[in-house]
Amino acid sequence: MAKIIHNPLVLSSSRSAEKSESCCKLSGPTSFMSSKFLGNKLLSTNSATSPATRRSAAVVAVSSDVVKEKKLKSSSSLANLLITKEEGLVLYEDMILGRAFEDMCAQMYYRGKMFGFVHLYNGQEAVSTGFIKLLKQEDCVVSTYRDHVHALSKGVPARQVMSELFGKTTGCCRGQGGSMHMFSKEHNVLGGFAFIGEGIPVATGAAFTSKYKREVLKEDCDEVTLAFFGDGTCNNGQFFECLNMAALWKLPIVFVVENNLWAIGMSHLRSTSDPQIWKKGPAFGMPGVHVDGMDVLKVREVAQEAIGRARRGEGPTLVECETYRFRGHSLADPDELRDPAEKAHYATRDPITSLKKYLFENNLANEAELKAIDKKIDEIIEDSVEFADESPVPARNQLLENVFADPRGFGIGPDGKYRCEDPKFTQGTAQV
Amino acid sequence: MAASFGVSSAAAANAVKSPALSPPSLPVIRSEARPISCRVNKSRKAGKITTKAVAAQAENPASAASKPGHEVLLFEALREGLEEEMERDPRVCIFGEDVGHYGGSYKVSKGLADKYGDLRVLDTPIAENSFIGMAVGAAMTGLRPVVEGMNMGFLLLAFNQISDNCGMLHYTSGGQFTIPTVIRGPGGVGRQLGAEHSQRLESYFQSIPGIQMVACSTPYNAKGLMKAAIRSENPVVLFEHVLLYNLKERIPDEEYVVSLEEAEMVRPGEHVTILTYSRMRYHVMQAAKTLVNKGYDPEVIDIRSLKPFDLYTIGNSIKKTHKVLIVEECMRTGGIGASLTAAINENFNDYLDAPIVCLSSQDVPTPYAGTLEEVTVVQPGQIVTAVEQLCR
């Protein structure tokens, strides 16, 4: 088994610095090509030699380059910043919410409150927060089975997600979906899919609707769709088929690869002929970008660009986020295969710790303010567990209600009436 | 995948120009000879013909006496239905391979891309699983896509999306998202198209919870089912048949839909209930001619709704005749006939005087050779023999 101490993608980034010119050339003039950010980010990750300096160099180096393009305020310290205080606190709170929620899930699972396959997102919060906090409510998010935090970032209340995990009728899917199927019509979370790759065509369809609304229905629509999926999915046919269609029709979609290097126990390097996933974007005619997915500010920069491209109708982008999951693949995974040194390395790059450090170093927040947020989130999580505990389980009569949107689909019974008119139908005991 | 269609569509084009070229074993049924009785109107006088319209139009007898309506071929009827629905609702769109500029490999969407543009009639790359998934995503976000499988067999590649997403997503989302898609295309055994182009997917899809399946067999019900399927909030799979696209019939000028869940009474009778669908309906009707000459009175029902079954129409018939023959093109094992047999035994066992006889295709991959292909599907002679044995 391969021992991975340094992220192989860092080593290969030097090659990607050369390649970045060609990849952007294929896709035509875009901000990615003209932005200094990409090249400088890659240089900064190469120049650091130890994990500690790499991390801090990475956070500050990005800001100092981007700022040259921004208008400077009189205060020099404020001028160097990527985010305002308000934005910083929003990002912090969202990541803490994701982390605390997932930790609570682990507790609840081992206490027998939730069941089945539960996949936790610890360590990857920067990707969800970095992207989804830039979206409007009308924008759509499609995820995989590791979807709790995407739903939370998009705005689905923690109560509804926890209830769903407990299998209660107050869950966002009435208890019928479970951990791997988080949906919310209100917040435009289109799932939650158990088979990897299954959600990517759905996301492509949602992006198609956005384009259709604009061009056929002549509505004022600039909604974008984000499709989140992992490194394992990038060897799946649906991924490639959708890259093709999205680029072909210039759909307003961003393909976000959460490359955490592992598909259960299969290392990305053992399953992929060319492990640099971002390179697969230009092969289909869209920009491919690689970003440090443990740094929420960097992710946010890239996300802003990619989402902006999509909104302006310039087409899709493939963003590969190098990230890591601190826990096993699921709560049933003993996680014995990954090298402890690798885990230790990424633990030092915890996105929450990084953001905290950035906020302190740039005087955007103090200890007390962040502790207040921690406390607020703890209360939200406690409340969600209480709510889920007290919520009722689905009654039998819920069994048949949502099989069909039009329940006449159950057909006509021997007595000539539609089966859904049978009183036993609403009790859930009808023979269908 | 794309190899054979140059041939088929040329054949179809030829058939359009000269209908007389339709193969001799496939009778062209004119509406004048075929009564359609209304479920509400129970009178079954011999020769009384009424058309049934769910959209409650005034009863419009399409009998030989008056000649309202217009003549169409089945593929034109499908196109009319599609076009009317696209006109009516701007969210209705078409996805599929060669549906746009090519007009559809069986000409079902001919002319629609010119009229509605390349986005509403979308020519997709050859990626069934993904473009069916795209249709699901589009349906979830407000559109009403009609997706064509160039041949139904190709939709095996889309089984993931059809089963998990079309069928189940409404349920797993707790009812939040509807998937009003129509998945349609030609299937069935054609003229020496080889095993992979001769598949009957209705048997594979029937277990998927959350979808409806219908099979059209005449221009009248093709248009009606197309419109009803598009209007339905449920995902509907509409099975067409490669050999039925050139059937000609006079259909009403007025707008109509037919019920997705109801079966169609083709020929009322007293002696035996014959349940069939799609192309086998014509083999049954051919056998019926022979049977009538021999003194039998078969009742022929085109079940049309493959999932769910219309147990009311079927049950009423069984209560009258007490004998059932199922004639289908599905394979013997696990086909529609197998499910129908189980459903009838469960619900109407008391009314049966004899075990249900089910005539299905052989459990073989459809051979290319014409002589072998002929014996894999049920032929009229077998139907006649089966009825004679049942009614002994």
Side-chain angles (χ1 to χ4, degrees), chain A residues 172 176 183 185 198 209 212 238 241 399 402 405-406 416 418, chain B residues 90 120 130 134 141 160-161 164 170-172 176 234 261 308 312:
Chain A
C172 52
Q176 291 166 192
F183 289 84
K185 187 150 178 86
E198 203 174 48
T209 301
Y212 189 98
Q238 288 175 97
E241 291 173 357
L399 180 66
N402 302 124
D406 178 351
Y418 275 100
Chain B
R120 260 191 105 177
S130 290
M134 225 178 91
T141 44
N160 173 201
Q161 292 289 343
D164 292 359
H170 182 71
Y171 194 82
T172 46
Q176 291 181 80
N234 297 334
E261 296 88 26
Y312 182 63

PDB file of all heavy atoms in Angstrom, chain A residues 172 176 183 185 198 209 212 238 241 399 402 405-406 416 418, chain B residues 90 120 130 134 141 160-161 164 170-172 176 234 261 308 312:
ATOM      1  N   CYS A 172     -36.353  16.218   6.474  1.00  0.00           N
ATOM      2  CA  CYS A 172     -36.568  16.961   5.223  1.00  0.00           C
ATOM      3  C   CYS A 172     -37.195  16.091   4.143  1.00  0.00           C
ATOM      4  O   CYS A 172     -37.840  16.599   3.231  1.00  0.00           O
ATOM      5  CB  CYS A 172     -35.268  17.598   4.732  1.00  0.00           C
ATOM      6  SG  CYS A 172     -33.883  16.456   4.604  1.00  0.00           S
ATOM      7  N   GLN A 176     -38.080   9.327   4.655  1.00  0.00           N
ATOM      8  CA  GLN A 176     -38.082   8.317   3.593  1.00  0.00           C
ATOM      9  C   GLN A 176     -36.763   8.240   2.849  1.00  0.00           C
ATOM     10  O   GLN A 176     -36.515   7.306   2.111  1.00  0.00           O
ATOM     11  CB  GLN A 176     -39.217   8.614   2.595  1.00  0.00           C
ATOM     12  CG  GLN A 176     -40.584   8.372   3.205  1.00  0.00           C
ATOM     13  CD  GLN A 176     -41.746   8.954   2.400  1.00  0.00           C
ATOM     14  OE1 GLN A 176     -42.854   9.017   2.877  1.00  0.00           O
ATOM     15  NE2 GLN A 176     -41.493   9.397   1.183  1.00  0.00           N
ATOM     16  N   PHE A 183     -32.852  15.977   0.425  1.00  0.00           N
ATOM     17  CA  PHE A 183     -33.460  16.806  -0.609  1.00  0.00           C
ATOM     18  C   PHE A 183     -34.146  17.992   0.051  1.00  0.00           C
ATOM     19  O   PHE A 183     -34.702  17.865   1.136  1.00  0.00           O
ATOM     20  CB  PHE A 183     -34.536  16.022  -1.379  1.00  0.00           C
ATOM     21  CG  PHE A 183     -34.001  14.961  -2.286  1.00  0.00           C
ATOM     22  CD1 PHE A 183     -33.698  13.699  -1.805  1.00  0.00           C
ATOM     23  CD2 PHE A 183     -33.834  15.205  -3.640  1.00  0.00           C
ATOM     24  CE1 PHE A 183     -33.210  12.710  -2.642  1.00  0.00           C
ATOM     25  CE2 PHE A 183     -33.363  14.217  -4.490  1.00  0.00           C
ATOM     26  CZ  PHE A 183     -33.046  12.966  -3.993  1.00  0.00           C
ATOM     27  N   LYS A 185     -36.682  21.102  -1.514  1.00  0.00           N
ATOM     28  CA  LYS A 185     -37.188  21.915  -2.608  1.00  0.00           C
ATOM     29  C   LYS A 185     -37.021  23.392  -2.277  1.00  0.00           C
ATOM     30  O   LYS A 185     -36.683  24.198  -3.141  1.00  0.00           O
ATOM     31  CB  LYS A 185     -38.671  21.601  -2.847  1.00  0.00           C
ATOM     32  CG  LYS A 185     -39.185  22.305  -4.080  1.00  0.00           C
ATOM     33  CD  LYS A 185     -40.286  21.519  -4.743  1.00  0.00           C
ATOM     34  CE  LYS A 185     -40.823  22.258  -5.944  1.00  0.00           C
ATOM     35  NZ  LYS A 185     -40.044  21.981  -7.141  1.00  0.00           N
ATOM     36  N   GLU A 198     -24.386   9.253 -10.067  1.00  0.00           N
ATOM     37  CA  GLU A 198     -25.807   9.318 -10.390  1.00  0.00           C
ATOM     38  C   GLU A 198     -26.355  10.728 -10.353  1.00  0.00           C
ATOM     39  O   GLU A 198     -27.308  11.062 -11.036  1.00  0.00           O
ATOM     40  CB  GLU A 198     -26.521   8.489  -9.328  1.00  0.00           C
ATOM     41  CG  GLU A 198     -27.859   7.964  -9.690  1.00  0.00           C
ATOM     42  CD  GLU A 198     -28.365   7.055  -8.588  1.00  0.00           C
ATOM     43  OE1 GLU A 198     -28.300   7.452  -7.409  1.00  0.00           O
ATOM     44  OE2 GLU A 198     -28.817   5.970  -8.940  1.00  0.00           O
ATOM     45  N   THR A 209     -32.112  23.371 -17.315  1.00  0.00           N
ATOM     46  CA  THR A 209     -33.351  24.122 -17.074  1.00  0.00           C
ATOM     47  C   THR A 209     -33.052  25.605 -16.971  1.00  0.00           C
ATOM     48  O   THR A 209     -33.797  26.437 -17.493  1.00  0.00           O
ATOM     49  CB  THR A 209     -34.025  23.657 -15.774  1.00  0.00           C
ATOM     50  OG1 THR A 209     -34.310  22.281 -15.867  1.00  0.00           O
ATOM     51  CG2 THR A 209     -35.310  24.424 -15.525  1.00  0.00           C
ATOM     52  N   TYR A 212     -32.559  26.860 -20.386  1.00  0.00           N
ATOM     53  CA  TYR A 212     -33.837  26.797 -21.092  1.00  0.00           C
ATOM     54  C   TYR A 212     -34.724  27.965 -20.681  1.00  0.00           C
ATOM     55  O   TYR A 212     -35.362  28.625 -21.508  1.00  0.00           O
ATOM     56  CB  TYR A 212     -34.504  25.471 -20.745  1.00  0.00           C
ATOM     57  CG  TYR A 212     -35.732  25.101 -21.519  1.00  0.00           C
ATOM     58  CD1 TYR A 212     -35.658  24.231 -22.602  1.00  0.00           C
ATOM     59  CD2 TYR A 212     -37.001  25.566 -21.147  1.00  0.00           C
ATOM     60  CE1 TYR A 212     -36.792  23.842 -23.297  1.00  0.00           C
ATOM     61  CE2 TYR A 212     -38.129  25.188 -21.840  1.00  0.00           C
ATOM     62  CZ  TYR A 212     -38.035  24.321 -22.913  1.00  0.00           C
ATOM     63  OH  TYR A 212     -39.159  23.938 -23.594  1.00  0.00           O
ATOM     64  N   GLN A 238     -20.580   8.434 -16.225  1.00  0.00           N
ATOM     65  CA  GLN A 238     -21.520   9.556 -16.152  1.00  0.00           C
ATOM     66  C   GLN A 238     -20.785  10.877 -16.006  1.00  0.00           C
ATOM     67  O   GLN A 238     -21.222  11.920 -16.490  1.00  0.00           O
ATOM     68  CB  GLN A 238     -22.487   9.359 -14.975  1.00  0.00           C
ATOM     69  CG  GLN A 238     -23.480   8.260 -15.269  1.00  0.00           C
ATOM     70  CD  GLN A 238     -24.379   7.959 -14.096  1.00  0.00           C
ATOM     71  OE1 GLN A 238     -25.481   8.453 -14.013  1.00  0.00           O
ATOM     72  NE2 GLN A 238     -23.900   7.134 -13.183  1.00  0.00           N
ATOM     73  N   GLU A 241     -19.532  11.767 -19.514  1.00  0.00           N
ATOM     74  CA  GLU A 241     -20.645  12.106 -20.397  1.00  0.00           C
ATOM     75  C   GLU A 241     -21.187  13.488 -20.084  1.00  0.00           C
ATOM     76  O   GLU A 241     -21.551  14.256 -20.966  1.00  0.00           O
ATOM     77  CB  GLU A 241     -21.755  11.047 -20.248  1.00  0.00           C
ATOM     78  CG  GLU A 241     -21.361   9.683 -20.823  1.00  0.00           C
ATOM     79  CD  GLU A 241     -22.384   8.586 -20.540  1.00  0.00           C
ATOM     80  OE1 GLU A 241     -23.391   8.856 -19.848  1.00  0.00           O
ATOM     81  OE2 GLU A 241     -22.177   7.455 -21.016  1.00  0.00           O
ATOM     82  N   LEU A 399     -46.860   5.190   4.138  1.00  0.00           N
ATOM     83  CA  LEU A 399     -46.117   4.265   3.281  1.00  0.00           C
ATOM     84  C   LEU A 399     -46.314   4.524   1.790  1.00  0.00           C
ATOM     85  O   LEU A 399     -45.368   4.507   1.014  1.00  0.00           O
ATOM     86  CB  LEU A 399     -46.528   2.825   3.604  1.00  0.00           C
ATOM     87  CG  LEU A 399     -45.823   1.754   2.775  1.00  0.00           C
ATOM     88  CD1 LEU A 399     -44.347   1.720   3.107  1.00  0.00           C
ATOM     89  CD2 LEU A 399     -46.448   0.389   3.013  1.00  0.00           C
ATOM     90  N   ASN A 402     -46.154   8.870  -1.226  1.00  0.00           N
ATOM     91  CA  ASN A 402     -45.280   9.574  -2.165  1.00  0.00           C
ATOM     92  C   ASN A 402     -44.704   8.682  -3.246  1.00  0.00           C
ATOM     93  O   ASN A 402     -43.728   9.049  -3.894  1.00  0.00           O
ATOM     94  CB  ASN A 402     -44.127  10.240  -1.422  1.00  0.00           C
ATOM     95  CG  ASN A 402     -44.607  11.211  -0.379  1.00  0.00           C
ATOM     96  OD1 ASN A 402     -44.251  11.093   0.777  1.00  0.00           O
ATOM     97  ND2 ASN A 402     -45.415  12.160  -0.799  1.00  0.00           N
ATOM     98  N   ALA A 405     -46.534  10.943  -7.746  1.00  0.00           N
ATOM     99  CA  ALA A 405     -47.035  12.296  -7.576  1.00  0.00           C
ATOM    100  C   ALA A 405     -48.545  12.298  -7.850  1.00  0.00           C
ATOM    101  O   ALA A 405     -49.320  12.961  -7.171  1.00  0.00           O
ATOM    102  CB  ALA A 405     -46.319  13.247  -8.532  1.00  0.00           C
ATOM    103  N   ASP A 406     -48.949  11.549  -8.852  1.00  0.00           N
ATOM    104  CA  ASP A 406     -50.369  11.361  -9.136  1.00  0.00           C
ATOM    105  C   ASP A 406     -50.719   9.932  -8.730  1.00  0.00           C
ATOM    106  O   ASP A 406     -50.366   8.994  -9.445  1.00  0.00           O
ATOM    107  CB  ASP A 406     -50.621  11.583 -10.625  1.00  0.00           C
ATOM    108  CG  ASP A 406     -52.076  11.365 -11.010  1.00  0.00           C
ATOM    109  OD1 ASP A 406     -52.877  10.880 -10.165  1.00  0.00           O
ATOM    110  OD2 ASP A 406     -52.423  11.683 -12.164  1.00  0.00           O
ATOM    111  N   GLY A 416     -63.411  -1.295  -9.919  1.00  0.00           N
ATOM    112  CA  GLY A 416     -63.648  -0.187 -10.829  1.00  0.00           C
ATOM    113  C   GLY A 416     -63.175   1.153 -10.314  1.00  0.00           C
ATOM    114  O   GLY A 416     -63.137   2.126 -11.039  1.00  0.00           O
ATOM    115  N   TYR A 418     -60.318   3.731  -8.641  1.00  0.00           N
ATOM    116  CA  TYR A 418     -58.870   3.873  -8.532  1.00  0.00           C
ATOM    117  C   TYR A 418     -58.446   3.392  -7.154  1.00  0.00           C
ATOM    118  O   TYR A 418     -59.100   3.656  -6.159  1.00  0.00           O
ATOM    119  CB  TYR A 418     -58.464   5.339  -8.734  1.00  0.00           C
ATOM    120  CG  TYR A 418     -58.311   5.712 -10.187  1.00  0.00           C
ATOM    121  CD1 TYR A 418     -59.311   6.389 -10.876  1.00  0.00           C
ATOM    122  CD2 TYR A 418     -57.156   5.355 -10.884  1.00  0.00           C
ATOM    123  CE1 TYR A 418     -59.164   6.704 -12.210  1.00  0.00           C
ATOM    124  CE2 TYR A 418     -57.000   5.678 -12.221  1.00  0.00           C
ATOM    125  CZ  TYR A 418     -58.007   6.350 -12.883  1.00  0.00           C
ATOM    126  OH  TYR A 418     -57.861   6.662 -14.202  1.00  0.00           O
TER     127      TYR A 418
ATOM    128  N   PRO B  90     -45.080  25.481 -22.846  1.00  0.00           N
ATOM    129  CA  PRO B  90     -43.713  25.735 -23.310  1.00  0.00           C
ATOM    130  C   PRO B  90     -42.640  24.997 -22.534  1.00  0.00           C
ATOM    131  O   PRO B  90     -41.472  25.024 -22.921  1.00  0.00           O
ATOM    132  CB  PRO B  90     -43.565  27.250 -23.113  1.00  0.00           C
ATOM    133  CG  PRO B  90     -44.578  27.626 -22.115  1.00  0.00           C
ATOM    134  CD  PRO B  90     -45.709  26.667 -22.273  1.00  0.00           C
ATOM    135  N   ARG B 120     -35.249  23.217 -27.481  1.00  0.00           N
ATOM    136  CA  ARG B 120     -36.479  22.529 -27.109  1.00  0.00           C
ATOM    137  C   ARG B 120     -36.524  21.123 -27.697  1.00  0.00           C
ATOM    138  O   ARG B 120     -37.207  20.252 -27.181  1.00  0.00           O
ATOM    139  CB  ARG B 120     -37.706  23.308 -27.597  1.00  0.00           C
ATOM    140  CG  ARG B 120     -38.349  24.137 -26.515  1.00  0.00           C
ATOM    141  CD  ARG B 120     -39.675  24.671 -26.936  1.00  0.00           C
ATOM    142  NE  ARG B 120     -40.742  23.928 -26.281  1.00  0.00           N
ATOM    143  CZ  ARG B 120     -42.022  24.202 -26.419  1.00  0.00           C
ATOM    144  NH1 ARG B 120     -42.397  25.185 -27.204  1.00  0.00           N
ATOM    145  NH2 ARG B 120     -42.931  23.494 -25.780  1.00  0.00           N
ATOM    146  N   SER B 130     -26.784   9.318 -19.073  1.00  0.00           N
ATOM    147  CA  SER B 130     -26.650  10.719 -18.691  1.00  0.00           C
ATOM    148  C   SER B 130     -27.775  11.588 -19.218  1.00  0.00           C
ATOM    149  O   SER B 130     -28.222  12.487 -18.504  1.00  0.00           O
ATOM    150  CB  SER B 130     -25.309  11.269 -19.173  1.00  0.00           C
ATOM    151  OG  SER B 130     -24.274  10.688 -18.413  1.00  0.00           O
ATOM    152  N   MET B 134     -30.293  13.676 -17.090  1.00  0.00           N
ATOM    153  CA  MET B 134     -30.494  15.092 -17.358  1.00  0.00           C
ATOM    154  C   MET B 134     -31.973  15.403 -17.409  1.00  0.00           C
ATOM    155  O   MET B 134     -32.430  16.435 -16.910  1.00  0.00           O
ATOM    156  CB  MET B 134     -29.876  15.439 -18.710  1.00  0.00           C
ATOM    157  CG  MET B 134     -29.062  16.689 -18.700  1.00  0.00           C
ATOM    158  SD  MET B 134     -28.322  16.986 -20.289  1.00  0.00           S
ATOM    159  CE  MET B 134     -29.560  17.983 -21.054  1.00  0.00           C
ATOM    160  N   THR B 141     -36.591  20.470 -11.848  1.00  0.00           N
ATOM    161  CA  THR B 141     -36.498  21.920 -11.758  1.00  0.00           C
ATOM    162  C   THR B 141     -37.503  22.630 -12.650  1.00  0.00           C
ATOM    163  O   THR B 141     -37.378  23.815 -12.906  1.00  0.00           O
ATOM    164  CB  THR B 141     -35.071  22.374 -12.108  1.00  0.00           C
ATOM    165  OG1 THR B 141     -34.616  21.668 -13.261  1.00  0.00           O
ATOM    166  CG2 THR B 141     -34.125  22.099 -10.964  1.00  0.00           C
ATOM    167  N   ASN B 160     -29.961   2.620 -14.542  1.00  0.00           N
ATOM    168  CA  ASN B 160     -29.642   3.298 -13.278  1.00  0.00           C
ATOM    169  C   ASN B 160     -30.539   4.509 -13.076  1.00  0.00           C
ATOM    170  O   ASN B 160     -31.185   4.668 -12.056  1.00  0.00           O
ATOM    171  CB  ASN B 160     -28.169   3.703 -13.319  1.00  0.00           C
ATOM    172  CG  ASN B 160     -27.729   4.577 -12.148  1.00  0.00           C
ATOM    173  OD1 ASN B 160     -26.736   5.274 -12.212  1.00  0.00           O
ATOM    174  ND2 ASN B 160     -28.455   4.548 -11.041  1.00  0.00           N
ATOM    175  N   GLN B 161     -30.600   5.357 -14.098  1.00  0.00           N
ATOM    176  CA  GLN B 161     -31.351   6.586 -13.931  1.00  0.00           C
ATOM    177  C   GLN B 161     -32.853   6.330 -13.928  1.00  0.00           C
ATOM    178  O   GLN B 161     -33.602   6.962 -13.186  1.00  0.00           O
ATOM    179  CB  GLN B 161     -30.993   7.581 -15.051  1.00  0.00           C
ATOM    180  CG  GLN B 161     -29.567   8.100 -14.975  1.00  0.00           C
ATOM    181  CD  GLN B 161     -29.349   9.061 -13.818  1.00  0.00           C
ATOM    182  OE1 GLN B 161     -30.291   9.588 -13.241  1.00  0.00           O
ATOM    183  NE2 GLN B 161     -28.099   9.279 -13.466  1.00  0.00           N
ATOM    184  N   ASP B 164     -33.480   4.323 -10.323  1.00  0.00           N
ATOM    185  CA  ASP B 164     -33.208   5.046  -9.093  1.00  0.00           C
ATOM    186  C   ASP B 164     -33.780   6.452  -9.101  1.00  0.00           C
ATOM    187  O   ASP B 164     -34.269   6.931  -8.088  1.00  0.00           O
ATOM    188  CB  ASP B 164     -31.689   5.169  -8.871  1.00  0.00           C
ATOM    189  CG  ASP B 164     -31.062   3.822  -8.577  1.00  0.00           C
ATOM    190  OD1 ASP B 164     -31.801   2.829  -8.534  1.00  0.00           O
ATOM    191  OD2 ASP B 164     -29.841   3.762  -8.390  1.00  0.00           O
ATOM    192  N   HIS B 170     -39.104  10.716  -6.367  1.00  0.00           N
ATOM    193  CA  HIS B 170     -40.243  11.394  -5.752  1.00  0.00           C
ATOM    194  C   HIS B 170     -40.439  10.883  -4.331  1.00  0.00           C
ATOM    195  O   HIS B 170     -40.742  11.639  -3.413  1.00  0.00           O
ATOM    196  CB  HIS B 170     -41.507  11.156  -6.586  1.00  0.00           C
ATOM    197  CG  HIS B 170     -42.723  11.843  -6.059  1.00  0.00           C
ATOM    198  ND1 HIS B 170     -42.894  13.210  -6.109  1.00  0.00           N
ATOM    199  CD2 HIS B 170     -43.823  11.366  -5.453  1.00  0.00           C
ATOM    200  CE1 HIS B 170     -44.050  13.533  -5.553  1.00  0.00           C
ATOM    201  NE2 HIS B 170     -44.643  12.432  -5.156  1.00  0.00           N
ATOM    202  N   TYR B 171     -40.218   9.603  -4.159  1.00  0.00           N
ATOM    203  CA  TYR B 171     -40.404   9.002  -2.843  1.00  0.00           C
ATOM    204  C   TYR B 171     -39.278   9.346  -1.891  1.00  0.00           C
ATOM    205  O   TYR B 171     -39.510   9.770  -0.765  1.00  0.00           O
ATOM    206  CB  TYR B 171     -40.505   7.477  -2.991  1.00  0.00           C
ATOM    207  CG  TYR B 171     -41.025   6.767  -1.779  1.00  0.00           C
ATOM    208  CD1 TYR B 171     -42.395   6.698  -1.539  1.00  0.00           C
ATOM    209  CD2 TYR B 171     -40.172   6.156  -0.867  1.00  0.00           C
ATOM    210  CE1 TYR B 171     -42.897   6.041  -0.438  1.00  0.00           C
ATOM    211  CE2 TYR B 171     -40.657   5.502   0.239  1.00  0.00           C
ATOM    212  CZ  TYR B 171     -42.016   5.436   0.451  1.00  0.00           C
ATOM    213  OH  TYR B 171     -42.502   4.781   1.556  1.00  0.00           O
ATOM    214  N   THR B 172     -38.034   9.179  -2.340  1.00  0.00           N
ATOM    215  CA  THR B 172     -36.923   9.421  -1.419  1.00  0.00           C
ATOM    216  C   THR B 172     -36.804  10.897  -1.062  1.00  0.00           C
ATOM    217  O   THR B 172     -36.225  11.237  -0.043  1.00  0.00           O
ATOM    218  CB  THR B 172     -35.567   8.948  -1.981  1.00  0.00           C
ATOM    219  OG1 THR B 172     -35.435   9.385  -3.316  1.00  0.00           O
ATOM    220  CG2 THR B 172     -35.461   7.447  -1.938  1.00  0.00           C
ATOM    221  N   GLN B 176     -41.113  15.883  -2.370  1.00  0.00           N
ATOM    222  CA  GLN B 176     -40.806  17.282  -2.682  1.00  0.00           C
ATOM    223  C   GLN B 176     -40.639  17.539  -4.174  1.00  0.00           C
ATOM    224  O   GLN B 176     -40.967  18.599  -4.669  1.00  0.00           O
ATOM    225  CB  GLN B 176     -39.500  17.695  -1.977  1.00  0.00           C
ATOM    226  CG  GLN B 176     -39.613  17.777  -0.474  1.00  0.00           C
ATOM    227  CD  GLN B 176     -38.307  18.221   0.136  1.00  0.00           C
ATOM    228  OE1 GLN B 176     -37.993  19.394   0.155  1.00  0.00           O
ATOM    229  NE2 GLN B 176     -37.544  17.267   0.637  1.00  0.00           N
ATOM    230  N   ASN B 234     -46.590  11.869 -13.165  1.00  0.00           N
ATOM    231  CA  ASN B 234     -45.749  10.706 -12.890  1.00  0.00           C
ATOM    232  C   ASN B 234     -44.805  10.454 -14.050  1.00  0.00           C
ATOM    233  O   ASN B 234     -45.102  10.812 -15.180  1.00  0.00           O
ATOM    234  CB  ASN B 234     -46.618   9.453 -12.724  1.00  0.00           C
ATOM    235  CG  ASN B 234     -47.560   9.557 -11.548  1.00  0.00           C
ATOM    236  OD1 ASN B 234     -47.290  10.274 -10.595  1.00  0.00           O
ATOM    237  ND2 ASN B 234     -48.674   8.842 -11.627  1.00  0.00           N
ATOM    238  N   GLU B 261     -54.434   4.578 -17.346  1.00  0.00           N
ATOM    239  CA  GLU B 261     -54.596   3.385 -16.510  1.00  0.00           C
ATOM    240  C   GLU B 261     -55.620   2.398 -17.049  1.00  0.00           C
ATOM    241  O   GLU B 261     -55.793   1.328 -16.469  1.00  0.00           O
ATOM    242  CB  GLU B 261     -55.009   3.793 -15.080  1.00  0.00           C
ATOM    243  CG  GLU B 261     -53.973   4.611 -14.337  1.00  0.00           C
ATOM    244  CD  GLU B 261     -54.094   6.101 -14.582  1.00  0.00           C
ATOM    245  OE1 GLU B 261     -55.218   6.538 -14.903  1.00  0.00           O
ATOM    246  OE2 GLU B 261     -53.096   6.817 -14.477  1.00  0.00           O
ATOM    247  N   PRO B 308     -49.885   0.275 -14.061  1.00  0.00           N
ATOM    248  CA  PRO B 308     -50.590  -0.823 -13.411  1.00  0.00           C
ATOM    249  C   PRO B 308     -51.589  -1.503 -14.356  1.00  0.00           C
ATOM    250  O   PRO B 308     -51.950  -0.921 -15.365  1.00  0.00           O
ATOM    251  CB  PRO B 308     -51.344  -0.097 -12.308  1.00  0.00           C
ATOM    252  CG  PRO B 308     -51.651   1.233 -12.908  1.00  0.00           C
ATOM    253  CD  PRO B 308     -50.506   1.573 -13.799  1.00  0.00           C
ATOM    254  N   TYR B 312     -60.176  -3.775 -13.538  1.00  0.00           N
ATOM    255  CA  TYR B 312     -61.627  -3.654 -13.647  1.00  0.00           C
ATOM    256  C   TYR B 312     -62.102  -4.191 -14.990  1.00  0.00           C
ATOM    257  O   TYR B 312     -62.952  -5.083 -15.060  1.00  0.00           O
ATOM    258  CB  TYR B 312     -62.045  -2.200 -13.460  1.00  0.00           C
ATOM    259  CG  TYR B 312     -63.531  -1.979 -13.510  1.00  0.00           C
ATOM    260  CD1 TYR B 312     -64.360  -2.557 -12.551  1.00  0.00           C
ATOM    261  CD2 TYR B 312     -64.108  -1.204 -14.503  1.00  0.00           C
ATOM    262  CE1 TYR B 312     -65.718  -2.369 -12.582  1.00  0.00           C
ATOM    263  CE2 TYR B 312     -65.464  -0.997 -14.538  1.00  0.00           C
ATOM    264  CZ  TYR B 312     -66.268  -1.585 -13.573  1.00  0.00           C
ATOM    265  OH  TYR B 312     -67.627  -1.394 -13.609  1.00  0.00           O
TER     266      TYR B 312
END
